[in-house]
Amino acid sequence: MNNNSPSTSAATSSPSGAGGHDGITSLLKKVRELEIISKRLTNHLFTGEYHTAFKGKGMSFKEVREYQPGDDIRFIEWNVSARMGHTYSKLFEEERELSVYLLIDVSASSLFGTFRQTKRDLITEIGAVLAFSAISNNDKAGLIFFSDKVEKFIPAKGGRDHVLYMVRELLTFQPHSASTDIVKAIRFLNNITRHKSIVFIMSDFADAGYKDVLRVTARRHDVVGIQVYDKRDRELPRIGLIQVRDAETGKTVWLDTNDTYTRFQYNKQFHQIIDDAKLTFRNAGADLLQIATGEDYVKVLQQFFIRRA
């Protein structure tokens, strides 16, 4: 199994010396690339779809205008109409002012990937796209990195500079723990915000026991899970006897990848994680997207936005 660190690890080089300069240059290049990709997708593919997929807080009064056929008669402004001698109606607009929180799983299992990218790389790209989509719709964006604890919290704010800071952290952040505890991340979110927010939880969801807290959270917030996986999570290659290491626990075991029962059990465990996540999110009344490394996540996101709109 491939447990190599993501290609973005160069960005954590020391700033001193030639290596540090190369690391900073590489990081800035990657940040810029993600900004260009994200803005292009937001401007050309997600125009209007993100906005209509996620509703704001409600409607606020904007102005009074002359009545037009089709206007709701309940919104006729009688005082102005009587004074002006014509019928006028109130015009309302949607109040956005939403906060979008990205809950990012940075446990060791996110470093795994065998097809063009790691799970962490995929999460980073999707996170950047969602953050830029948020600020382009005048929403705020915030970030919570979690392992088996909350590793870092970036409060929700608006503006390009803030999102670029988030993207840099997505590319370079190094967690202190290897394990996963989704419950702690969701509870932290509930403690830091009382207002309805859009919450994207990005993880492989190789964890258990989070169904109750997710159900409570989904009543207050608009929750969307994005489950990432690699094709080697699903199926072992036939390469004989190999030693594999659990990235989160450090436990190592020998597996005969040519053995039919071993391959069956490995595949069964994968589908158990996938099916458990589906059931948990459905019972919580929340949405779940499942995306493989190397897959066209843009198409998945766009279809999701259209379906919700």
Side-chain angles (χ1 to χ4, degrees):
M1 300 176 78
N2 178 5
N3 280 319
N4 293 328
S5 296
S7 58
T8 56
S9 59
T12 60
S13 302
S14 170
S16 61
H21 177 74
D22 290 344
I24 293 172
T25 302
S26 175
L27 171 60
L28 293 175
K29 182 180 178 182
K30 287 169 184 171
V31 170
R32 181 59 179 156
E33 287 173 353
L34 279 176
E35 180 183 18
I36 292 171
I37 292 170
S38 300
K39 283 190 171 181
R40 185 173 69 244
L41 294 176
T42 299
N43 293 335
H44 298 291
L45 289 180
F46 300 151
T47 303
E49 293 167 2
Y50 168 94
H51 183 93
T52 53
F54 302 104
K55 304 301 181 183
K57 295 178 180 179
M59 305 299 290
S60 63
F61 172 72
K62 181 181 181 182
E63 61 186 5
V64 171
R65 70 175 185 194
E66 283 200 52
Y67 178 85
Q68 298 177 6
D71 283 355
D72 194 325
I73 61 172
R74 293 175 300 174
F75 300 140
I76 291 177
E77 175 49 77
W78 295 107
N79 290 332
V80 175
S81 299
R83 190 163 59 246
M84 301 300 295
H86 299 285
T87 306
Y88 283 80
S89 19
K90 297 175 183 177
L91 186 64
F92 295 85
E93 64 181 356
E94 182 185 7
E95 277 190 279
R96 292 292 304 179
E97 290 294 320
L98 284 171
S99 293
V100 177
Y101 284 99
L102 308 180
L103 273 61
I104 306 293
D105 181 356
V106 290
S107 62
S109 63
S110 68
L111 302 180
F112 181 67
T114 63
F115 187 59
R116 297 204 304 226
Q117 61 187 167
T118 65
K119 289 184 274 189
R120 177 75 181 272
D121 293 334
L122 176 58
I123 286 173
T124 295
E125 288 191 31
I126 295 174
V129 169
L130 292 173
F132 276 108
S133 294
I135 65 164
S136 71
N137 282 274
N138 297 318
D139 292 336
K140 300 175 182 178
L143 189 60
I144 298 172
F145 289 116
F146 71 93
S147 54
D148 60 354
K149 60 184 177 181
V150 173
E151 297 267 357
K152 187 179 181 71
F153 167 52
I154 300 176
K157 290 175 59 178
R160 173 178 176 267
D161 289 345
H162 178 67
V163 171
L164 290 177
Y165 168 56
M166 287 174 57
V167 171
R168 287 195 296 271
E169 289 298 305
L170 283 165
L171 286 166
T172 63
F173 184 77
Q174 297 295 317
H176 294 92
S177 180
S179 301
T180 310
D181 191 333
I182 297 172
V183 171
K184 287 183 180 177
I186 297 177
R187 283 178 176 166
F188 180 83
L189 169 79
N190 289 336
N191 286 334
I192 58 137
T193 179
R194 293 284 184 254
H195 299 293
K196 179 181 178 181
S197 302
I198 303 168
V199 180
F200 290 95
I201 308 174
M202 289 183 263
S203 172
D204 56 14
F205 291 100
D207 193 16
Y210 60 91
K211 63 180 181 179
D212 290 337
V213 69
L214 181 67
R215 186 167 57 247
V216 171
T217 303
R219 293 194 193 116
R220 181 187 303 168
H221 303 294
D222 193 343
V223 179
V224 181
I226 299 179
Q227 185 174 30
V228 297
Y229 64 92
D230 187 83
K231 64 180 181 179
R232 290 303 178 204
D233 288 329
R234 180 175 56 214
E235 185 177 359
L236 282 171
R238 292 182 179 272
I239 53 176
L241 190 65
I242 61 170
Q243 187 179 43
V244 296
R245 176 179 174 272
D246 187 308
E248 298 197 7
T249 66
K251 181 181 178 181
T252 59
V253 295
W254 287 93
L255 292 179
D256 182 0
T257 61
N258 292 331
D259 179 67
T260 302
Y261 182 73
T262 298
R263 293 171 61 82
F264 169 77
Q265 287 296 111
Y266 188 90
N267 180 260
K268 180 181 177 182
Q269 182 182 46
F270 167 78
H271 282 288
Q272 184 70 50
I273 293 171
I274 291 289
D275 293 342
D276 283 350
K278 282 182 181 178
L279 182 62
T280 299
F281 274 81
R282 183 166 61 245
N283 289 343
D287 290 299
L288 177 68
L289 309 180
Q290 295 172 310
I291 308 175
T293 54
E295 186 179 354
D296 184 2
Y297 68 85
V298 174
K299 183 178 180 180
V300 176
L301 286 178
Q302 188 178 33
Q303 289 176 342
F304 170 66
F305 290 157
I306 292 172
R307 188 169 67 249
R308 287 207 39 163

